[in-house]
């Protein structure tokens, strides 16, 4: 039980106290005193008004009736009772709320007689047609009056203040004669007490009338030191929620009338806020009390804590509770409210702390507080403490009610101790109490939690046979129990009860699908539904979609397709959305074949295919590597009237990329760029960068990079890494450095590939300081791999910085990496081109000792170096070794050999190599022709050189890049 709603049983009405209005209004009672007040001086008693003002003034008051003196008879009418420290009406409340009207003050006091006369006339005119009161006892306060057209008596209800937002407390109806009689008894010489008596009576009739008379009192000097009148006026204004006027009246009360602010002045305002749940204004008035050093009382705390409990405002409740204890106020309802709030929010340790504080503060608990304590312990499953609370109740001589027993039953149900719960159930009946619907509901929930199937169904049927109705929680518990115990007939019975209780089909199907799906018995659902209201489901699109989706999620595609074939509703848009959900469910579950089956059954439009469904199916076909079917769907979309959006292009680009056709993906991106209104998201931008990188389109990469910056897409870690990896060689080095610095400043981490790309670009650009900083970062982050070392070694080798080259080779070995073939090749090339042949030979020896197998690049380096020296024999030996290892010269090898033969003065051999290349099908490039022509010219074969030059131009090789 999340919260208990308890009405404190009140005792009999005490003997009425008689006295002056001023004396009654100023009385302050602390504790649970009950006050009734009536006066024989006035035609109509002010008992109710005094009780209400007393509730606002201090103490805990309950009104036991309104005493009326009419035609010599006096009758009592029950009005209100005490609930949580707040006076609340026991009768139905209704009726309108008159508008607030405060008359202007007269210019001088001498005109008071005229003002009062005008006021009397205005009041009488404003209520014309309102009958006299005839005392009655029945609920609703029916009144008899004569109709205007005859002597027949008619019945009317007295206007009343409702407890809602726009209502007020119960009103008393006065006729124009009554008001005229009341006002005629007041003159300029009337005492303050007499004026207050009139104000009380008028305030019970109408706030407008009372406030008008209050202004007359002000004009005639009746408010000096008259705090009681201000209290009444403040509450009348509060009912109108004219808080600005209330603030001005508080200021006037002190500044103009010399009254001291007390709790009663603010309690009238807080009372209205509590009744109407105006938590912000109630809090504001309370804080204003504290700021002006006004001591709150029990009523103040009780009203505020009741408000905070209803609203669930824990911070303000804690503040008010702390102030209460600091002021030494003992309000039992405040402790109850704090325990309830903490328990409701699951702060059970704090709720127990409040109970301990209450005991330490020596506050005597009432019935409500005992029940709140009981509830706090039962919600935690602390049943030993709960039983002690029950014992304390008995020891205090308090008879246990059904609420107490129900709370304990619920607590035992929470801990699944249903043996104890049944004992409490028997104790309840032994005490002469009849179980109510909460009792049975708690027993059902407890047995359900304990998975006691037979007992739960037994108490479920007892609940129905007793004339009570199960609640939603009972239905949910029973369906889950029946699903676990595979009782299809019982499930049909519960479903019929749910229908009879007014549950919607969609809600019933949802509960059923979840229950049977969670225990792996989803295949039983269709059979159960066909036994009750399956035909109704077929006419309801929502229920049908819930059922079909449940089947698909449990891999029962055949059942889902059967329901879709039998459905009776027609809504093409809803149907398309349903099919899309089903296809996506299958795709996410990895059941692509089921997705294809559902798609094939779906009704399709040849001219207007569903874009979302087609995109999902293209994705499904891509996962299945059925790229032909995926492309066919794309071409179908392209030929239709559908306009592709950003998501569609993203799916299609990914399909072509996965199919290994980046060129086709580029064509799709070209089509997308023609639609100027499409702005890619970051995921499509990533696909674009990767696609253009695979195709080597540096210009496109550059354009896309600046498009990303212009579109202000949020750059995350993945985006930064992708930009550097793909666009690093397409954008200026300075811009690359800027984007890398921005990435680091944003706190993102570069991955190994990103760092290697930066090393390569900085190294080739000769920015060795930046390259070494990047390498140091890679080592610190543990991301430096063998490629990182190869890249930094190659950069220094190409620059001829042998010292740095050797340094990083040593660091490579210290990091646990063997010196790679790529590193050796870099050293060979660097030493060879620098003419340091001893070091060149030393590196070759290290490679042999390390067992490195030479690759084409190694042999090409050796051929190039030997050829530069004109060591044809060495070149021949290298070629022989290459061929002995099963290798053949490649294009680079032939280019190097031709150059070497030219340097060695062997142009004929160079021409033979050209012919050998043709025989082997190796196409010569511009370097090949350039080296051959240079070799011929070097050896004065100019005519032959001119021929090869003309041949190179005819073949178009001259136009190609080097």
């Amino acid at each position: 039980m999340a919260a208990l709603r308890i009405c404190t049983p009140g005792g009999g009405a005490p003997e009425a106290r008689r006295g002056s209005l001023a004396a009654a209004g100023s009385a302050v009672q602390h504790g649970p005193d009950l006050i009734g007040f009536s006066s024989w001086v006035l035609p109509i008693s002010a008992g109710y008004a005094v009780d209400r003002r007393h509730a606002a003034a201090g103490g805990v008051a309950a009104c036991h009736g309104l005493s009326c003196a009419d035609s010599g008879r006096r009758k009592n009418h029950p009005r209100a009772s005490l609930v949580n420290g707040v006076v609340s009406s026991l009768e139905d409340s209704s009726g309108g709320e008159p508008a607030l009207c405060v008359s202007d003050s007269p210019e001088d006091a001498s005109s008071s007689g005229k003002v009062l006369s005008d006021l009397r006339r205005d009041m009488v005119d404003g209520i014309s047609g309102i009958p006299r009161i005839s005392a009655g006892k029945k609920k609703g306060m029916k009144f008899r009056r004569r109709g205007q057209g005859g002597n027949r008596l008619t019945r009317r209800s007295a206007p009343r203040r409702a407890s809602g937002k726009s209502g007020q407390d119960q009103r008393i109806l006065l006729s124009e004669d009554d008001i005229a009689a009341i006002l005629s008894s007041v003159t300029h010489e009337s005492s303050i007490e007499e004026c207050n008596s009139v104000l009380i009576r008028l305030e019970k009739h109408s706030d407008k009338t009372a406030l008008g008379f209050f202004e007359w009192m002000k004009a005639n000097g009746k408010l000096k030191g008259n705090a009681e009148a201000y209290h009444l006026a403040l509450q009348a204004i509060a009912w109108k929620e004219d808080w600005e006027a209330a603030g001005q009246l508080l200021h006037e009360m002190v500044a103009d009338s010399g009254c001291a602010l007390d709790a009663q002045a603010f309690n009238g305002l807080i009372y209205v806020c509590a009744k109407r749940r105006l938590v912000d204004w109630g809090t504001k008035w309370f804080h204003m009390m504290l700021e002006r050093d006004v001591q709150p009382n029990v009523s103040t705390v009780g009203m505020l804590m009741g408000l905070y409990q209803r609203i669930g405002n824990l911070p303000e409740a804690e503040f008010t509770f702390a102030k209460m204890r600091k002021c030494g106020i003992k309000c039992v309802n405040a402790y109850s409210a704090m325990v309830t709030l903490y328990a409701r929010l699951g702060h059970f340790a704090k709720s127990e702390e409040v109970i301990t504080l209450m005991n330490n503060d020596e506050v005597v608990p009432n019935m409500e507080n005992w029940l709140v304590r009981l509830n706090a312990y039962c919600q935690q499953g602390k049943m030993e403490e709960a039983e002690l609370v029950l014992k304390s109740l008995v020891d205090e001589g308090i008879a246990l009610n059904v609420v107490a027993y129900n709370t304990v039953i619920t607590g035992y149900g929470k801990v699944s101790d249903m043996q104890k719960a049944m004992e409490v159930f028997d104790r309840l009946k032994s005490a002469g109490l009849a179980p109510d619907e909460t009792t049975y509901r708690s027993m059902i929930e407890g047995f359900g939690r304990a998975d006691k199937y037979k007992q739960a169904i037994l108490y479920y049927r007892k609940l129905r046979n007793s004339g009570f109705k199960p609640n939603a929680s009972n239905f949910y518990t029973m369906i889950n129990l029946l699903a676990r115990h595979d009782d299809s007939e019982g499930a049909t019975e519960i479903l019929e009860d749910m229908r009879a209780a007014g549950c919607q089909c969609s809600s019933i199907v949802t509960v059923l699908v979840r229950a049977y799906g969670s225990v792996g018995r989803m295949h039983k659902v269709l059979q159960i539904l066909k036994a009750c209201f399956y035909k109704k489901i077929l006419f309801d699109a929502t229920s049908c979609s819930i059922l079909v989706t449940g089947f698909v999620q449990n891999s029962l595609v055949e059942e889902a397709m059967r329901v879709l074939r039998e459905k009776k509703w027609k809504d093409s848009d809803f149907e398309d959305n349903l099919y899309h959900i089903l296809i996506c469910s299958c795709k996410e579950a990895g059941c692509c074949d089921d997705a294809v089956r559902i798609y094939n059954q779906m009704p399709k439009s040849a001219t207007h295919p569903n874009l979302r469904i087609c995109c999902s199916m293209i994705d499904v076909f891509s996962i299945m590597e059925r790229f032909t079917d995926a492309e066919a769907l794309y071409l179908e979309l392209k030929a239709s009237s559908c306009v592709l959006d950003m998501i569609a292009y993203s799916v299609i680009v990914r399909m072509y990329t996965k199919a290994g056709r980046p060129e086709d993906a580029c064509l799709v991106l070209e089509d997308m760029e023609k639609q100027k209104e499409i702005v890619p998201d970051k995921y499509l931008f990533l696909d674009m960068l990767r696609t253009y990188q695979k195709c080597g389109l540096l210009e496109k990469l550059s354009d896309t990079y600046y498009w990303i910056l212009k579109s202000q897409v949020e750059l995350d870690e993945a985006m930064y890494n992708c930009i550097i990896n793909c666009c690093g060689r397409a954008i200026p080095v300075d811009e690359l450095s800027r984007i890398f610095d921005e990435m680091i400043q944003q706190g993102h981490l570069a991955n190994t590939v990103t760092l290697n790309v930066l090393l390569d670009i900085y190294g080739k650009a000769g920015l060795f300081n930046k390259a070494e900083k990047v390498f140091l970062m890679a080592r610190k982050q543990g991301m430096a791999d063998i490629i990182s070392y190869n890249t930094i070694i190659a950069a220094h080798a190409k620059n001829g910085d042998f010292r740095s080259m050797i340094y990083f080779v040593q660091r490579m070995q210290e990091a646990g990496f063997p010196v790679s073939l790529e590193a050796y090749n870099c050293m060979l090339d660097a030493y060879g081109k620098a003419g340091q042949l001893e070091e060149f030979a030393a590196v070759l020896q290290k490679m042999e000792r390390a067992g490195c197998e030479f690759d084409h690049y190694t042999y090409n380096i050796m051929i190039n170096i030997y050829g530069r020296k004109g060591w044809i024999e060495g070149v021949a030996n290298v070629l022989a070794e290459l061929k002995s290892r099963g290798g053949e010269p490649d294009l680079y090898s032939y280019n190097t050999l031709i150059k070497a033969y030219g340097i060695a003065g062997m142009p004929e051999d160079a021409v033979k190599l050209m012919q050998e290349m043709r025989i082997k099908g190796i196409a010569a490039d511009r370097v090949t022709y350039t080296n051959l022509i240079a070799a011929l010219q070097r050896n004065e074969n100019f005519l032959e050189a001119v021929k090869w030059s003309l041949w190179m131009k005819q073949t178009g090789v001259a136009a190609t890049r080097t």
Side-chain angles (χ1 to χ4, degrees), residues 241-263:
E241 297 185 24
D242 189 352
W243 307 118
E244 183 178 354
Q248 293 173 357
L249 199 61
L250 284 172
H251 175 75
E252 177 187 315
M253 178 179 176
V254 177
D256 297 344
S257 299
C259 300
L261 290 179
D262 56 4

Short mmCIF file of all heavy atoms in Angstrom, two decimals, residues 241-263:
data_model
loop_
_atom_site.label_atom_id
_atom_site.label_comp_id
_atom_site.label_asym_id
_atom_site.label_seq_id
_atom_site.Cartn_x
_atom_site.Cartn_y
_atom_site.Cartn_z
N GLU A 241 -7.97 34.19 -4.52
CA GLU A 241 -6.58 34.02 -4.97
C GLU A 241 -6.01 35.34 -5.47
O GLU A 241 -5.20 35.39 -6.41
CB GLU A 241 -6.47 32.93 -6.05
CG GLU A 241 -6.86 31.56 -5.56
CD GLU A 241 -6.64 30.47 -6.59
OE1 GLU A 241 -5.79 30.67 -7.47
OE2 GLU A 241 -7.32 29.44 -6.50
N ASP A 242 -6.45 36.43 -4.82
CA ASP A 242 -5.89 37.75 -5.13
C ASP A 242 -4.74 37.99 -4.15
O ASP A 242 -4.87 38.71 -3.16
CB ASP A 242 -6.98 38.82 -4.99
CG ASP A 242 -6.51 40.17 -5.51
OD1 ASP A 242 -5.31 40.31 -5.81
OD2 ASP A 242 -7.34 41.09 -5.60
N TRP A 243 -3.61 37.38 -4.45
CA TRP A 243 -2.50 37.36 -3.50
C TRP A 243 -1.85 38.73 -3.36
O TRP A 243 -1.31 39.05 -2.30
CB TRP A 243 -1.48 36.31 -3.92
CG TRP A 243 -2.08 34.97 -4.13
CD1 TRP A 243 -2.13 34.26 -5.27
CD2 TRP A 243 -2.76 34.17 -3.15
NE1 TRP A 243 -2.78 33.06 -5.09
CE2 TRP A 243 -3.18 32.98 -3.78
CE3 TRP A 243 -3.04 34.34 -1.80
CZ2 TRP A 243 -3.87 31.97 -3.12
CZ3 TRP A 243 -3.73 33.34 -1.13
CH2 TRP A 243 -4.14 32.18 -1.80
N GLU A 244 -1.89 39.52 -4.40
CA GLU A 244 -1.34 40.87 -4.29
C GLU A 244 -2.14 41.70 -3.28
O GLU A 244 -1.58 42.41 -2.44
CB GLU A 244 -1.35 41.55 -5.66
CG GLU A 244 -0.72 42.93 -5.65
CD GLU A 244 -0.68 43.56 -7.03
OE1 GLU A 244 -1.05 42.86 -8.02
OE2 GLU A 244 -0.31 44.73 -7.13
N ALA A 245 -3.49 41.58 -3.36
CA ALA A 245 -4.34 42.29 -2.41
C ALA A 245 -4.11 41.77 -0.99
O ALA A 245 -4.14 42.55 -0.02
CB ALA A 245 -5.80 42.13 -2.80
N ALA A 246 -3.88 40.46 -0.86
CA ALA A 246 -3.62 39.89 0.47
C ALA A 246 -2.34 40.46 1.06
O ALA A 246 -2.28 40.80 2.24
CB ALA A 246 -3.54 38.37 0.37
N GLY A 247 -1.30 40.59 0.24
CA GLY A 247 -0.06 41.17 0.73
C GLY A 247 -0.23 42.62 1.15
O GLY A 247 0.31 43.06 2.18
N GLN A 248 -1.01 43.38 0.37
CA GLN A 248 -1.26 44.77 0.73
C GLN A 248 -2.05 44.87 2.03
O GLN A 248 -1.81 45.75 2.87
CB GLN A 248 -2.02 45.46 -0.41
CG GLN A 248 -1.20 45.62 -1.67
CD GLN A 248 -2.03 46.15 -2.84
OE1 GLN A 248 -3.25 46.35 -2.70
NE2 GLN A 248 -1.39 46.37 -3.97
N LEU A 249 -3.00 43.95 2.23
CA LEU A 249 -3.80 43.97 3.44
C LEU A 249 -2.97 43.64 4.67
O LEU A 249 -3.18 44.21 5.75
CB LEU A 249 -4.97 42.99 3.31
CG LEU A 249 -6.15 43.19 4.27
CD1 LEU A 249 -6.76 44.57 4.05
CD2 LEU A 249 -7.21 42.12 4.06
N LEU A 250 -2.00 42.73 4.53
CA LEU A 250 -1.10 42.43 5.65
C LEU A 250 -0.29 43.66 6.03
O LEU A 250 -0.10 43.96 7.22
CB LEU A 250 -0.17 41.28 5.26
CG LEU A 250 -0.75 39.87 5.26
CD1 LEU A 250 0.23 38.88 4.66
CD2 LEU A 250 -1.13 39.44 6.68
N HIS A 251 0.19 44.38 5.01
CA HIS A 251 0.95 45.60 5.28
C HIS A 251 0.07 46.64 5.95
O HIS A 251 0.48 47.29 6.93
CB HIS A 251 1.51 46.15 3.96
CG HIS A 251 2.21 47.47 4.13
ND1 HIS A 251 3.46 47.58 4.69
CD2 HIS A 251 1.81 48.74 3.82
CE1 HIS A 251 3.82 48.85 4.72
NE2 HIS A 251 2.83 49.57 4.19
N GLU A 252 -1.16 46.79 5.46
CA GLU A 252 -2.10 47.77 6.03
C GLU A 252 -2.46 47.40 7.47
O GLU A 252 -2.63 48.28 8.32
CB GLU A 252 -3.35 47.80 5.15
CG GLU A 252 -4.45 48.71 5.66
CD GLU A 252 -5.73 48.55 4.85
OE1 GLU A 252 -5.63 48.51 3.60
OE2 GLU A 252 -6.80 48.44 5.47
N MET A 253 -2.56 46.11 7.73
CA MET A 253 -2.93 45.63 9.06
C MET A 253 -1.93 46.12 10.10
O MET A 253 -2.31 46.51 11.22
CB MET A 253 -2.98 44.10 9.04
CG MET A 253 -3.30 43.44 10.36
SD MET A 253 -3.35 41.64 10.15
CE MET A 253 -3.63 41.13 11.85
N VAL A 254 -0.66 46.14 9.73
CA VAL A 254 0.39 46.57 10.67
C VAL A 254 0.57 48.08 10.62
O VAL A 254 0.59 48.76 11.65
CB VAL A 254 1.71 45.85 10.35
CG1 VAL A 254 2.82 46.33 11.27
CG2 VAL A 254 1.54 44.34 10.48
N ALA A 255 0.70 48.63 9.40
CA ALA A 255 1.07 50.03 9.25
C ALA A 255 -0.08 50.97 9.59
O ALA A 255 0.14 52.02 10.22
CB ALA A 255 1.54 50.27 7.81
N ASP A 256 -1.31 50.65 9.19
CA ASP A 256 -2.42 51.58 9.36
C ASP A 256 -3.25 51.30 10.61
O ASP A 256 -3.74 52.23 11.26
CB ASP A 256 -3.34 51.53 8.13
CG ASP A 256 -2.61 52.00 6.88
OD1 ASP A 256 -1.54 52.63 7.01
OD2 ASP A 256 -3.11 51.72 5.76
N SER A 257 -3.45 50.02 10.91
CA SER A 257 -4.35 49.68 12.01
C SER A 257 -3.64 49.30 13.28
O SER A 257 -4.29 49.02 14.30
CB SER A 257 -5.29 48.54 11.58
OG SER A 257 -6.07 48.93 10.48
N GLY A 258 -2.32 49.21 13.24
CA GLY A 258 -1.56 48.94 14.46
C GLY A 258 -1.75 47.56 15.00
O GLY A 258 -1.56 47.33 16.20
N CYS A 259 -2.13 46.60 14.17
CA CYS A 259 -2.31 45.21 14.62
C CYS A 259 -0.99 44.46 14.48
O CYS A 259 -0.20 44.72 13.56
CB CYS A 259 -3.38 44.51 13.81
SG CYS A 259 -5.01 45.27 13.92
N ALA A 260 -0.79 43.54 15.36
CA ALA A 260 0.42 42.70 15.29
C ALA A 260 0.12 41.46 14.43
O ALA A 260 -0.95 40.86 14.55
CB ALA A 260 0.86 42.29 16.68
N LEU A 261 1.09 41.14 13.57
CA LEU A 261 0.93 39.94 12.76
C LEU A 261 1.08 38.71 13.64
O LEU A 261 1.99 38.65 14.49
CB LEU A 261 1.97 39.90 11.64
CG LEU A 261 1.82 40.91 10.51
CD1 LEU A 261 2.94 40.75 9.51
CD2 LEU A 261 0.48 40.74 9.81
N ASP A 262 0.18 37.76 13.46
CA ASP A 262 0.27 36.51 14.20
C ASP A 262 0.00 35.35 13.24
O ASP A 262 -0.24 35.54 12.05
CB ASP A 262 -0.71 36.49 15.37
CG ASP A 262 -2.15 36.73 14.92
OD1 ASP A 262 -2.38 36.83 13.69
OD2 ASP A 262 -3.03 36.82 15.78
N ALA A 263 0.06 34.15 13.77
CA ALA A 263 -0.11 32.96 12.94
C ALA A 263 -1.49 32.93 12.29
O ALA A 263 -1.65 32.47 11.16
CB ALA A 263 0.12 31.70 13.77
#
